Structures are given as structure tokens and as C-alpha cells.
């Protein structure tokens, strides 16, 4: 097959225009593979949270783009990220997704062992490699470590290639959303808790990322779930206390004005967030005892400032989002051009009342599960878009809403909450990181 | 029904419950639950806590009501075309009888098929019913659905196992 995009910087750049993108970015498998080689290598990709590996030898197996990797606690104070491949014949070193390997990784095939930093510890019948020049082989170096790893307040990111910006430069101001989520713990600490939800999507991973700041869809696509909730709750007896579940569902049906005025903040390198002034998380009932704990930890003014942030979705380009006020993280794992695995992780605010975790866990179940009615609404439109884009009637996807010709150079700006400016920001970053190593 | 249900009556109840789902007689189905009843589908094997660990579903009658109304709604695009479902069950086994409290537990392994348009998906589950009698009629206090692959990456399940 003739390559349409490989090695063709011009063809890739031509896919993203100021106000529209070519359908191939969602459909084309060769472009998907180039995304894995370039975009997912030149950017910082979320690996996991260090609370998943609390003890030395604890590991968690996951992926960075298409690459199987292991996050492992190699010393009490550090985690490493290693490619999940035995340097002998390639065998994946872990079976279970998480566990503890003790002091060594031991390959199940021929029992080569590796220290927790990946270096080779032992080979059975080692004499067989004497005088073979083994010391110069790839194998002798042990398991390959991901070269760039950064642990930011427990959130571990990796960058596969030497190309691309350093961690602080890449994320910049965007780290304030992780800060806010961590600061919501009176102890300044988060722990992964409450289980993970995994949901298969037959659509391109970018449809999910685009949707994070798509504020013109909830009142339409979620009319079926949120609108029905509002209708059902209307017949509740007068004075009945609104259940947590209704508090969670109902705001999805808010009118356009609610979303227009919430604002979207746009940062460099494809990052941004909805919910600058308020969000669908603003009106949750207070959890008894929590504010007092926060006040004791931070002082009243600072506690109010922390809890006054109601950021909705923060996009950490390319494929992860956090929701600080509800302590959730969603990771969009690319599988193929038309396949994505969505993982939704919940966090406990260490030192805070259990009711906060209960709400986080409920939100996750109601909104992000394969059995979630909100999830069904969203997946239906993604899959229809994935199918509809096959149509030759028009090869372009429109992202023009509230476009201004002077926006490309602007940084750290706040826009109308229904702008598609953050989607344009993501696609500018897409072109930048796709082409910087071509 | 006499004062206490026989094992056969418990079995018939569970079998009929699945039939109501297959026929999508969802109003009749919802009426089988007690006012404080729950439908629970854990996400972890052997999960004991529905509150601080998430689940695929942990729904009270209000949430089940929302789900049922939504399935019928005109704006529900994920039900155009509509899903269908089919339960193939082993004979339920009565695991616990407490005639004093009128509390009964049954265990029912089943295969569940959900289809929509050209797609059809098979699930396997162990279903536990916690039943009580209310005014002489059996009702569901808790229906627990343990999918054999509860922790797998699943696609959409839109109806009720
Ligand atoms: S493949 Fe791992 S030891 Fe041989
Ligand atoms: Fe949505």
C-alpha cells in the first residue's frame, strides 16, 4: 500500500486548518500509527498514580500509547516506568495488572531476573554466555526504562522520546487543576480508591477528548438521561431532600446560558478546562464536617479559595482529563483508529469524610460505567460520528464556533464557555507534536 | 400464596422476573422491587461494599425508574434502534430460607444476551435474589448480578441482566 502520510509532513499539516479538521485524523489507521510514534512519544502521557504502588516491589502494568509499560516502586521514594518486555525473547513480564514482584522481576519463560530499576540481576546457566560478547548485547542492559518520567504530586507521567518539551514547559499553568484536586484533601494527599471503570468505545480517542469541552451537547445528547431525571424528580413529594444521584444527573440538562457563562480557559500545548466561574459540580450539597477540616488545615480564606474552584473537565493533552471537584480522572487509551479504552479512576481525599469518596464513586458509576445512561448517550453520538465520517459528502469536521482570527497566538485566555476554541487549541497542539519529530 | 412461600414459588418468581425483562414489561418488573429495593451489579469479584467501591450499577427504585423512563423516551438516541435481551437460566436454587423473617435468598447462574441492530453480545452471570414477602407477595429487596467478567473492559449494556 502506498503511504499517504508516513514521512509526509506537509500532508499531515494540511489535515488541520484553522476552523476545520480532515476526517482522516479520526479514521485513518496509518495516521493512528503515526500518532503512536510521534504524538504519544513527544508529549507527556499519564501513566498512573503513585498510590497504586505504595510498597517497594509493587507494580502496575499499563500502556503509554501503544507501548506496554510497568510502573514500579523501585525505592521507598521513587517510581520507575519500564517497558514491559523481557530483554531475552520479548515475553511480557507481568501477568496480573497489578501486584508485588518482591525484589526482582522474574521472567516466566527462562527465569532471567531484573532489579526493580530494570537492570539485569541474573541468568540461569550463565556460563553459556561466557566469551560470547554478551556484555555488549541489548539484552545485557536489562529491561529498558522509559527515559523521561515525572511524578507530579503523585501523578506519574512519562515521555518516550527525547524530542518535545520538558515537563514544566509542557504543562505550565495547566498543573493548577491537579494542584486543586490534591489541595482538596485536608492532608494534601490523594489515593486511588473505589475501583476503576473500563469502557470500550468503538470510536477514535480524539472524539472523547474533543467532547470534554463540548458544552453545546449536554442539553441535547443528555436530554434522555438528565432530562428524564429532572422530569422524574418533579413528581417527588414536596420538600423531599434531593438525592445525591439527582444532584449529579440534573445539571447535565442545564440551559445554554449556564454553559456560556461558565467559561473555558485555554493554555498552551493543547491543555485547557471548562468551568472557570462555575460548573455542573458547583451545587453539590455540603458534606458535614469537611469544611471544618479544610479550615483547620489551610485557614478559612485559603480553604474557601480551594473549594471555590469548580473546574469541570481539565484536558491534559493529549489523552487524560481530571475533574478536581469530584476527584475523578479519565484516561482515553488509544487502541486503534476506531477503538478506544476509557478508564475512569476515582481518588480518595486523604483525611476527608468518606461521603466524598461515596459521591466520587457514585458519579463514576452514574456517568462513566459501560452501564451508565449518560455514557450510553455519549457513546451513541461518537459511534454515529465515526460511521458518518465515512461519507464522502464532506471530508471536513467543523470546529469554527466563536473563532477569532487573532486567537492562535493567545495563551492563558478565558473564552465564552461554548467556544470550540479549546478543540482548535488541541488540534494546533496535535499538528505541533505530530510533526516535530518528522 | 400461603403464609410462607414454597421453594417452587420462589423459583417461579425468579423465572418470571427474567421473563418480564425479556418481554420488556418494565413497569411490571419495577413493581417486583420493595420500596427500598436495589439492583446491584458489582465491578469487582466478590465485592462487598456498594458505597465506597464503585459498581457497574447500584440503583434504588428512583434510579431504576429514571432508567426505565429513559428507555422509552423520544430523545433516547442510543435506543434507536432498540435493544433486545434474552435470559437463559439454570433452575434457581434456594440458598437461604428464613420463614420467621420471611427472607429468602436464591442463586441463579445464567447467560444473558443483549442485541442491538447487527450486534449481539453474550454475558454470563450469577444472580442472587434477596426476596421478602410484603402483604403476602414476594418482592425483591436486592438483586445482585455478578458478571463473570465484571472487571473486563465492557461495551454498553443498556438493558437489565
Ligand atoms: S524470554 Fe524472558 S527469560 Fe527468556
Ligand atoms: Fe456527554
Amino acid at each position: 500500500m502506498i503511504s499517504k502520510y508516513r514521512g509526509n509532513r506537509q500532508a499531515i499539516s494540511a489535515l488541520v486548518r484553522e476552523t476545520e479538521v480532515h476526517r482522516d485524523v479520526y479514521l485513518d489507521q496509518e495516521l493512528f500509527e503515526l500518532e503512536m510514534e510521534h504524538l504519544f512519544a513527544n508529549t507527556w502521557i499519564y501513566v498512573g498514580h503513585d498510590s497504586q504502588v505504595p510498597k517497594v516491589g509493587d507494580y502496575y502494568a499499563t500502556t503509554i500509547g501503544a507501548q506496554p509499560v510497568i510502573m514500579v516502586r523501585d525505592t521507598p521514594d521513587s517510581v520507575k516506568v519500564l517497558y514491559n518486555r523481557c530483554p531475552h525473547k520479548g515475553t511480557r513480564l507481568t501477568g496480573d495488572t497489578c501486584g508485588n514482584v518482591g525484589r526482582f522481576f522474574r521472567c516466566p519463560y527462562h527465569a532471567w531476573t531484573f532489579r526493580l530499576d530494570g537492570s539485569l540481576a541474573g541468568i540461569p546457566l550463565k556460563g553459556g554466555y561466557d566469551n560470547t560478547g554478551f556484555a555488549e548485547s541489548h539484552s545485557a542492559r536489562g529491561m529498558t526504562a522509559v527515559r523521561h518520567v515525572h511524578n507530579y504530586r503523585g501523578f506519574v507521567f512519562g515521555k518516550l522520546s527525547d524530542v518535545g518539551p520538558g515537563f514544566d514547559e509542557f504543562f505550565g499553568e495547566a498543573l493548577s487543576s491537579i494542584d486543586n484536586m490534591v489541595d482538596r484533601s485536608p492532608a494534601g494527599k490523594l489515593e486511588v480508591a473505589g475501583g476503576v471503570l473500563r469502557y470500550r468505545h468503538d470510536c477514535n480517542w480524539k472524539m472523547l477528548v474533543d467532547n470534554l469541552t463540548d458544552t453545546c451537547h449536554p442539553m441535547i445528547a443528555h436530554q434522555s438521561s438528565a432530562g428524564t431525571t429532572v422530569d422524574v424528580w418533579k413528581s417527588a413529594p414536596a420538600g423531599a431532600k434531593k438525592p445525591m444521584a439527582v444532584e449529579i444527573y440534573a445539571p447535565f440538562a442545564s440551559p445554554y446560558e449556564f454553559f456560556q457563562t461558565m467559561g473555558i480557559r485555554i493554555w498552551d500545548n493543547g491543555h485547557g478546562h471548562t468551568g472557570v466561574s462555575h460548573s455542573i459540580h458547583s451545587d453539590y450539597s455540603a458534606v458535614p464536617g469537611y469544611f471544618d477540616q479544610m479550615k483547620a488545615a489551610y485557614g478559612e480564606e485559603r480553604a474557601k479559595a480551594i473549594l471555590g474552584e469548580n473546574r469541570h473537565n481539565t484536558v491534559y493533552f493529549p489523552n487524560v482529563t481530571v475533574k478536581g471537584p469530584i476527584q475523578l480522572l479519565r484516561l482515553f487509551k488509544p487502541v486503534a483508529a476506531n477503538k478506544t479504552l476509557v478508564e475512569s479512576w476515582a481518588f480518595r481525599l486523604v483525611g476527608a469524610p468518606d461521603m466524598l469518596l461515596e459521591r466520587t464513586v457514585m458519579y463514576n458509576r452514574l456517568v462513566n460505567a459501560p452501564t451508565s445512561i449518560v455514557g450510553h448517550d455519549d457513546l451513541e453520538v461518537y459511534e454515529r460520528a465515526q460511521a458518518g465520517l465515512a461519507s464522502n459528502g464532506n471530508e471536513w469536521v467543523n470546529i469554527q464556533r466563536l473563532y477569532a482570527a487573532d486567537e492562535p497566538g493567545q495563551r492563558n485566555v478565558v473564552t465564552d464557555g461554548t467556544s470550540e476554541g479549546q478543540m482548535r487549541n488541541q488540534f494546533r497542539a496535535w499538528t505541533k507534536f505530530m510533526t516535530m519529530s518528522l | 400464596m400461603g403464609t410462607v412461600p414454597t421453594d417452587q414459588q420462589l423459583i417461579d418468581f425468579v423465572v418470571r422476573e427474567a421473563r418480564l425483562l425479556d418481554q420488556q414489561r418494565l413497569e411490571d418488573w419495577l413493581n417486583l422491587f420493595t420500596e427500598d429495593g436495589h439492583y446491584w451489579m458489582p465491578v469487582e469479584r466478590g465485592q462487598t461494599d456498594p458505597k465506597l467501591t464503585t459498581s457497574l450499577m447500584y440503583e434504588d427504585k428512583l434510579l431504576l425508574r429514571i432508567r426505565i423512563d429513559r428507555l422509552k423516551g423520544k430523545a433516547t438516541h442510543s435506543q434507536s434502534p432498540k435493544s433486545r435481551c434474552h435470559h437463559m437460566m439454570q433452575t434457581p436454587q434456594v440458598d437461604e430460607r428464613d420463614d420467621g423473617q420471611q427472607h429468602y435468598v436464591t442463586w441463579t447462574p445464567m447467560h444473558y444476551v443483549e442485541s442491538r441492530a447487527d450486534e449481539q453480545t453474550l454475558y454470563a452471570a450469577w444472580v442472587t435474589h434477596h426476596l421478602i414477602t410484603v402483604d403476602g407477595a414476594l418482592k425483591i429487596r436486592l438483586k445482585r448480578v455478578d458478571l463473570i467478567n465484571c472487571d473486563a473492559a465492557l461495551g454498553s449494556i443498556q438493558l437489565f441482566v
Side-chain angles (χ1 to χ4, degrees):
Chain A
M1 202 183 95
I2 301 167
S3 251
K4 203 164 157 193
Y5 294 111
R6 181 166 293 282
N8 193 342
R9 188 189 175 105
Q10 211 180 347
I12 291 175
S13 299
L15 294 166
V16 176
R17 298 174 177 169
E18 278 296 285
T19 57
E20 54 188 7
V21 294
H22 193 269
R23 64 175 175 180
D24 277 6
V25 306
Y26 302 99
L27 300 184
D28 189 89
Q29 185 60 22
E30 184 186 47
L31 271 177
F32 176 86
E33 281 153 23
L34 290 166
E35 285 181 336
M36 296 305 103
E37 291 169 36
H38 297 280
L39 178 63
F40 279 76
N42 299 335
T43 55
W44 289 88
I45 305 296
Y46 179 70
V47 179
H49 193 266
D50 71 3
S51 64
Q52 293 170 261
V53 290
K55 292 196 288 295
V56 171
D58 284 349
Y59 72 87
Y60 163 62
T62 180
T63 49
I64 294 180
Q67 295 296 309
V69 297
I70 310 171
M71 175 172 80
V72 59
R73 173 79 59 178
D74 64 327
T75 75
D77 308 312
S78 61
V79 296
K80 279 241 155 15
V81 181
L82 307 170
Y83 286 86
N84 197 349
R85 176 213 195 271
C86 178
H88 183 208
K89 296 226 179 339
T91 308
R92 199 182 66 207
L93 284 150
T94 57
D96 291 327
T97 302
C98 54
N100 185 291
V101 292
R103 291 171 57 216
F104 300 101
F105 288 99
R106 183 175 187 275
C107 181
Y109 202 171
H110 314 95
W112 289 24
T113 51
F114 309 93
R115 295 179 197 90
L116 299 179
D117 64 0
S119 60
L120 182 59
I123 298 179
L125 216 60
K126 187 143 195 253
Y129 292 96
D130 289 350
N131 306 317
T132 64
F134 179 74
E136 278 73 58
S137 71
H138 285 284
S139 294
R141 288 177 227 155
M143 294 165 68
T144 309
V146 170
R147 293 172 61 97
H148 306 277
V149 175
H150 192 98
N151 181 343
Y152 184 79
R153 304 191 75 178
F155 293 80
V156 177
F157 290 81
K159 183 161 72 75
L160 299 176
S161 96
D162 293 337
V163 181
F167 184 85
D168 291 329
E169 184 194 341
F170 181 66
F171 286 119
E173 290 287 313
L175 293 171
S176 56
S177 288
I178 288 181
D179 287 338
N180 181 255
M181 182 148 83
V182 180
D183 291 345
R184 284 169 176 267
S185 151
K189 203 168 171 272
L190 297 175
E191 273 171 12
V192 164
V196 58
L197 290 165
R198 304 167 70 231
Y199 192 175
R200 271 195 294 112
H201 279 53
D202 287 342
C203 67
N204 187 270
W205 63 275
K206 292 187 292 303
M207 290 200 177
L208 286 131
V209 184
D210 294 350
N211 182 262
L212 293 169
T213 58
D214 185 322
T215 52
C216 286
H217 91 280
M219 66 299 286
I220 307 299
H222 301 305
Q223 173 60 28
S224 101
S225 47
T228 302
T229 302
V230 172
D231 286 345
V232 167
W233 184 243
K234 273 184 196 144
S235 56
K241 183 178 165 353
K242 210 190 251 189
M244 203 184 262
V246 175
E247 285 193 349
I248 287 171
Y249 273 148
F252 283 87
S254 302
Y256 285 112
E257 196 198 350
F258 177 88
F259 291 98
Q260 281 175 315
T261 55
M262 72 159 56
I264 296 178
R265 185 177 279 123
I266 296 173
W267 291 301
D268 269 354
N269 292 329
H271 316 303
H273 80 89
T274 46
V276 177
S277 60
H278 59 270
S279 76
I280 63 166
H281 307 306
S282 298
D283 287 331
Y284 296 159
S285 299
V287 169
Y290 176 48
F291 186 70
D292 289 340
Q293 291 177 329
M294 289 294 283
K295 210 163 67 178
Y298 295 101
E300 180 159 1
E301 201 181 327
R302 174 101 178 94
K304 278 192 175 149
I306 292 167
L307 300 178
E309 285 287 348
N310 277 294
R311 298 181 183 191
H312 178 192
N313 292 319
T314 297
V315 180
Y316 287 106
F317 186 79
N319 69 325
V320 68
T321 181
V322 305
K323 281 170 151 330
I326 192 78
Q327 298 96 50
L328 277 173
L329 177 149
R330 285 206 300 156
L331 183 60
F332 309 107
K333 290 183 161 175
V335 179
N338 62 354
K339 289 212 182 320
T340 306
L341 171 58
V342 183
E343 289 185 351
S344 302
W345 294 87
F347 294 87
R348 177 200 295 279
L349 297 171
V350 175
D354 275 351
M355 195 190 277
L356 282 151
L357 178 60
E358 185 178 338
R359 183 158 66 198
T360 300
V361 153
M362 178 185 280
Y363 187 99
N364 213 11
R365 176 173 86 229
L366 293 180
V367 178
N368 298 326
T371 37
S372 154
I373 56 179
V374 171
H376 297 159
D377 293 339
D378 280 325
L379 182 53
E380 177 68 14
V381 291
Y382 305 149
E383 289 183 352
R384 286 203 206 180
Q386 193 76 26
L389 287 177
S391 155
N392 292 333
N394 171 3
E395 295 187 359
W396 296 89
V397 170
N398 188 286
I399 49 168
Q400 196 153 11
R401 197 178 157 72
L402 293 168
Y403 171 73
D406 62 349
E407 73 178 28
Q410 294 176 357
R411 28 173 56 187
N412 299 349
V413 292
V414 173
T415 68
D416 179 296
T418 59
S419 170
E420 286 171 343
Q422 170 56 17
M423 295 179 212
R424 295 188 286 275
N425 185 41
Q426 287 160 198
F427 275 105
R428 282 183 203 116
W430 186 88
T431 309
K432 172 177 168 180
F433 293 105
M434 277 293 275
T435 57
M436 70 169 32
S437 48
L438 274 178
Chain B
M1 188 180 295
T3 46
V4 269
T6 62
D7 278 9
Q8 189 59 48
Q9 283 171 320
L10 295 171
I11 292 165
D12 290 347
F13 178 90
V14 172
V15 171
R16 178 165 178 273
E17 191 244 345
R19 177 185 174 152
L20 292 179
L21 288 173
D22 282 357
Q23 296 183 321
Q24 301 210 20
R25 292 157 63 186
L26 296 177
E27 294 298 329
D28 293 341
W29 178 74
L30 190 58
N31 278 331
L32 298 181
F33 283 80
T34 61
E35 287 316 303
D36 63 351
H38 279 82
Y39 180 107
W40 185 20
M41 190 188 279
V43 74
E44 292 180 355
R45 182 124 177 82
Q47 186 175 335
T48 53
D49 176 10
K51 297 230 159 132
L52 296 184
T53 296
T54 200
S55 298
L56 293 165
M57 285 172 68
Y58 182 62
E59 309 223 330
D60 59 12
K61 238 177 156 170
L62 176 75
L63 284 170
L64 293 173
R65 156 62 54 207
I66 290 168
R67 217 174 251 278
I68 288 168
D69 283 6
R70 174 185 175 275
L71 286 172
K72 297 184 298 208
K74 284 199 175 47
T76 306
H77 304 295
S78 78
Q79 281 300 298
S80 150
K82 291 206 171 301
S83 305
R84 297 170 204 152
C85 71
H86 182 280
H87 294 72
M88 173 64 82
M89 39 210 309
Q90 288 184 19
T91 304
Q93 298 173 47
V94 179
D95 278 6
E96 288 176 39
R97 301 190 58 105
D98 182 340
D99 288 329
Q101 297 290 319
Q102 304 246 327
H103 177 253
Y104 308 93
V105 180
T106 64
W107 161 265
T108 315
M110 63 172 70
H111 284 182
Y112 170 80
V113 172
E114 196 171 294
S115 80
R116 183 169 175 240
D118 295 339
E119 299 294 328
Q120 166 169 307
T121 312
L122 171 68
Y123 301 88
W126 298 281
V127 180
T128 312
H129 286 78
H130 293 250
L131 305 174
I132 61 168
T133 52
V134 177
D135 300 330
L138 279 169
K139 295 270 180 187
I140 303 171
R141 164 64 76 57
L142 173 68
K143 176 176 177 179
R144 173 177 173 140
V145 176
D146 285 284
L147 291 181
I148 187 173
N149 59 345
C150 55
D151 49 1
L154 301 170
S156 293
I157 302 174
Q158 295 206 53
L159 301 178
F160 300 94
V161 178

